[in-house]
Amino acid sequence: MNPTTQLAFVLSPSPTQADHNMQLSTFEIFLLQLRPPLLEYILNRFEVKSIIAVSRASTTLHAIFTWYSGITWDPTRRLRRWFVDTLAFRRLLYRTNAVVSGSFALQLFDRSYYDRSDMDLYARTAGVEDIRHWLSTQGYRSTEEISSPYDYLSGIDHRRPHVVKAVMNKTSYNDPLLAVYNFKKLIASADGYIEILRVQLIVVDTDPVEHILYDFHSTAVMNFITATHALSIFPYSTFVMRKSYISKNRDKAPRNVDEWINKYKKRGFTLVGEETSRFPADLRAGPRFITDRRCWKIPFQDRFQTGEEEPKNL
């Protein structure tokens, strides 16, 4: 269903509304007369808290919000820029138990676009070869230079350093990654502009979601996309209060710490560190779990259309 059809559908008056001959405000009439792309552009300028407040003002404004949220917070819409067959990509995530995280997931929830940002895929060792092969079928090429793919003296396959590191148990608190593989793809727009899409396949030594929760530097980046849902762990503090609480500062080099802190400050977030003396009011103490009521959970609107078993919900 295209945006125009969606908007017409959600705004179709119910029998109750028609019977009461509902009077629209000037603001409602203004919004309803806009073309969908312009309406979306205007609503993108609203803060999340303001959009929700406006949506509660009337049935019509709530219908507009329903239409807007359905297209703006649609994970598939974001994925189409990277992959032609988004369902195949989601099946890949399900098959390999991988997730998309980093700035890609943050941009989805934040309704933003970061120039030249990449896509971060987090996976365990068993899914790496499947993901690497699938990316190659989608036109992505590895950026690693491999002069000798196999060292016959050591018996180590240089294309699989994550396996070697896992077998030798070389991960640690300061280095929890088994490997990072980089891929890129060139795409050209109709006006001749060449863009480079970059994908990072990050191999971790634990469940990818656990890695996000316990190894990411701060709460603003604790968001991820699975085969069935997009999920934000701290949506209120991140997207309403615009705060990110530092949870793990692995890199002690001041220059490196300042670099990522400044990056997120430029993106509009206030970084709150260990110097905080009181427990923040916008966080709640107590047990948490994935998909609890404090999470923001966005389901994919389209379903799998194959004979495979439908991925279970989070």
Side-chain angles (χ1 to χ4, degrees), residues 17 46-47 57 62 65 73 83-84 116 160 174 180 184 186 209 211 225 229 245 252 254 262 278 295 298 305 310-311:
Q17 292 172 329
F46 281 60
E47 294 182 350
H62 181 73
F65 170 77
W73 287 295
F83 309 112
V84 175
R116 290 180 290 184
R160 304 174 67 196
N174 291 317
V180 178
K184 68 178 181 180
L186 300 179
V209 174
H211 178 81
I225 301 171
H229 291 82
Y245 293 93
K252 300 302 181 181
N262 290 333
R278 293 187 301 175
C295 291
I298 302 175
Q305 300 295 325
E310 177 100 4

Side-chain angles (χ1 to χ4, degrees), residues 169-195:
N169 195 24
K170 285 192 173 182
T171 57
S172 65
Y173 174 89
N174 291 317
D175 185 19
L177 305 182
L178 294 174
V180 178
Y181 299 107
N182 295 282
F183 302 84
K184 68 178 181 180
K185 176 182 179 181
L186 300 179
I187 60 172
S189 61
D191 58 2
Y193 176 74
I194 303 297
E195 183 181 8

